[in-house]
Amino acid sequence: MSVFFSQEPVQFQCPVPEETRFTPDELQEILSLLESSGGDSVSLSPNSGSEGSSRAVYNDNERRLRRMISNRESARRSRWRKKKHVENLSSQMNQLELENQELKKRLGSALRQCHVVWGENERLRFESVALQARLSNLYRILFTMQAQ
């Protein structure tokens, strides 16, 4: 039993899904592959086990067509995954840039505070040296007064 394609133009009963994104030229190529397959397009497999089996053996053109459609769908899914991956990386990059800016602000603030503390330590060191010198002078005066 064989199924034959008619030579009449093919009329689609339902719209082609937008996800396939076939160009008019690609659709024409697909239709020409179907038309060129001629009378031996689909034949029931003699090894199917039952006369009414719906298992079909496809000819080379049909296999090419099915493979082409499958490859296009696979490529579409791959592009979608790549797009999502790039979006995720972009989002992560934006988040890391914000975190980097925040860390730079905190580092700048810590460096300013460190500079202030360093200056205060220097001032206190000089004051300590001056006070030690004054205390030493006072001890000398005290010893001199006690010695007299």
Side-chain angles (χ1 to χ4, degrees), residues 2-142:
S2 295
V3 176
F4 296 96
F5 285 102
S6 67
Q7 298 301 323
E8 298 173 15
V10 176
Q11 298 291 326
F12 291 104
Q13 296 297 324
C14 62
V16 177
E18 209 173 288
E19 295 91 36
T20 58
R21 292 195 172 95
F22 290 120
T23 65
D25 291 336
E26 292 168 337
L27 286 174
Q28 188 61 39
E29 178 185 350
I30 291 169
L31 291 175
S32 70
L33 286 172
L34 288 174
E35 289 172 2
S36 68
S37 64
D40 54 13
S41 59
V42 177
S43 62
L44 294 177
S45 172
N47 301 340
S48 64
S50 69
E51 292 294 321
S53 174
S54 61
R55 272 180 75 174
V57 174
Y58 299 102
N59 68 19
D60 289 342
N61 286 338
E62 289 170 333
R63 278 195 295 274
R64 258 192 312 243
L65 175 64
R66 290 168 61 85
R67 191 76 220 139
M68 181 175 67
I69 291 170
S70 174
N71 286 345
R72 286 172 195 249
E73 283 299 309
S74 177
R76 183 187 60 80
R77 288 189 305 268
S78 179
R79 286 189 303 271
W80 182 83
R81 282 192 305 269
K82 182 179 178 182
K83 179 182 175 187
K84 289 297 177 190
H85 182 65
V86 167
E87 287 173 358
N88 288 340
L89 289 176
S90 178
S91 174
Q92 186 179 9
M93 182 186 73
N94 290 337
Q95 185 176 356
L96 290 172
E97 283 177 346
L98 290 175
E99 185 179 347
N100 192 26
Q101 288 174 357
E102 179 61 29
L103 289 172
K104 283 179 180 179
K105 285 180 188 176
R106 289 175 55 191
L107 177 61
S109 176
L111 288 174
R112 284 188 295 278
Q113 188 175 7
C114 180
H115 184 70
V116 168
V117 169
W118 182 81
E120 182 70 14
N121 281 345
E122 284 296 307
R123 185 188 67 74
L124 290 173
R125 218 175 275 122
F126 287 133
E127 187 177 329
S128 172
V129 168
L131 287 174
Q132 284 177 351
R134 188 171 174 196
L135 183 60
S136 178
N137 287 337
L138 288 175
Y139 278 134
R140 240 182 289 133
I141 292 172
L142 184 62

